[in-house]
Amino acid sequence: MKFVAAAGALLLSTAFAAPIAERQAPAITDVDILQYALTLEHLENVFYKGGLSMMPESAFLAAGFSKAYYDNLKYIAHDEEAHVQLLTSAIAGTGAKPVAACTYSFPYKDPKSFVGLASILEGVGTAAYLGGAPLIASKTYLGVAGSILITESLHTALQRFNLGQIGAPSPYGTALGLNPVFTLAAAFIKSCPSTNAALPVKAFPSLTATQGIPTSEGIPFTFSVTGSLPSSFFITFVSGLDTTSVAATAKGNMITTMVPKTAMGQTYAFVTNANVTTLTDSAVLFGPAVLEVTPPSPTFDIALQ
């Protein structure tokens, strides 16, 4: 799965770019969350349409993907366009001006790298909706977000399965806050219209995975940072319902740690200033980096009814 690793490495090596206007606000409104969601949906919408426009069905078949998978890609493109339309309408209905699509740069060159990057983007999108849900005050908007979340998670499982990965590697979904998601999304955004509303987000300094994926629990893993590390820090892994901080060692800007057993599937790693069980923005020094962690073999008790 080298194409997956390459997509993840490029995603993370450019993550500190911040082309979207940032706004620091004491309170986040439902309109802010809708604009944030629309920003992400624009990115996915352009990503899928660009890939389908550049590469015909025959290219996907030649790369080893099935016609059924290619047909599903077209359904995903349809879904992302529908999400853009729905969110645009909802924001306009509040009297606010919906953010427009930005100019993007995606690092895929062929069907395999496209699908590898699609899997990462869908995982981040799913984590974004799950993490943003508690911030929504309106039950109507929350219901809509939940509906989109389900679709994004289906997209994620589909992409993972077609990469030969476990479609649902963890019993639980992973939530990410606004700033970690913004940090990852900004890697692909070259510029945005100056008329777009500023978002209440900020980008963290980047954390780069410096070895291949997938990896497994108990395996040493290395990262690099572009900046100074404090004398005491941790690598904190966010996966499913678990937030696990692990001791790490540093040599210059290189960091080595161990992948914890709580990490399964698409996992997010941060450099934090403390050993934490709940990730907050104040604890984050660098990150996130995206890792793919092979889950352990499934176990279940036939006698448990």
Side-chain angles (χ1 to χ4, degrees), residues 18-196:
I20 298 175
E22 302 174 19
R23 188 193 89 225
Q24 302 305 313
I28 297 174
T29 68
D30 281 356
V31 172
D32 290 331
I33 298 299
L34 293 176
Q35 296 279 33
Y36 162 82
L38 180 56
T39 298
L40 302 178
E41 293 294 352
H42 276 311
L43 186 151
E44 289 185 307
N45 182 43
V46 173
F47 170 76
Y48 279 107
K49 289 179 179 176
L52 290 172
S53 298
M54 187 180 90
M55 296 173 288
E57 178 181 351
S58 59
F60 284 88
L61 296 178
F65 298 102
S66 67
K67 183 181 186 305
Y69 172 71
Y70 182 79
D71 289 341
N72 272 285
L73 275 183
K74 292 186 287 185
Y75 276 104
I76 293 175
H78 167 269
D79 293 346
E80 304 301 354
E81 180 180 278
H83 295 167
V84 167
Q85 293 172 332
L86 178 63
L87 291 169
T88 297
S89 177
I91 294 167
T94 69
K97 181 180 179 181
V99 294
C102 300
T103 301
Y104 309 95
S105 178
F106 298 109
Y108 61 82
K109 296 181 180 180
D110 51 40
K112 288 188 175 181
S113 59
F114 174 82
V115 179
L117 184 53
S119 179
I120 293 173
L121 292 179
E122 292 290 358
V124 172
T126 301
Y129 275 99
L130 188 56
L135 303 176
I136 301 173
S138 165
K139 290 184 179 180
T140 299
Y141 292 153
L142 182 59
V144 171
S147 179
I148 295 176
L149 167 61
I150 291 172
T151 302
E152 296 291 350
S153 65
L154 291 171
H155 294 171
T156 301
L158 175 71
Q159 300 292 12
R160 292 181 59 83
F161 179 79
N162 281 278
L163 289 171
Q165 300 169 344
I166 303 301
S170 170
Y172 310 105
T174 303
L176 283 180
L178 272 62
N179 290 332
V181 171
F182 172 71
T183 302
L184 294 172
F188 305 106
I189 303 174
K190 296 176 64 178
S191 64
C192 293
S194 60
T195 53
N196 275 5

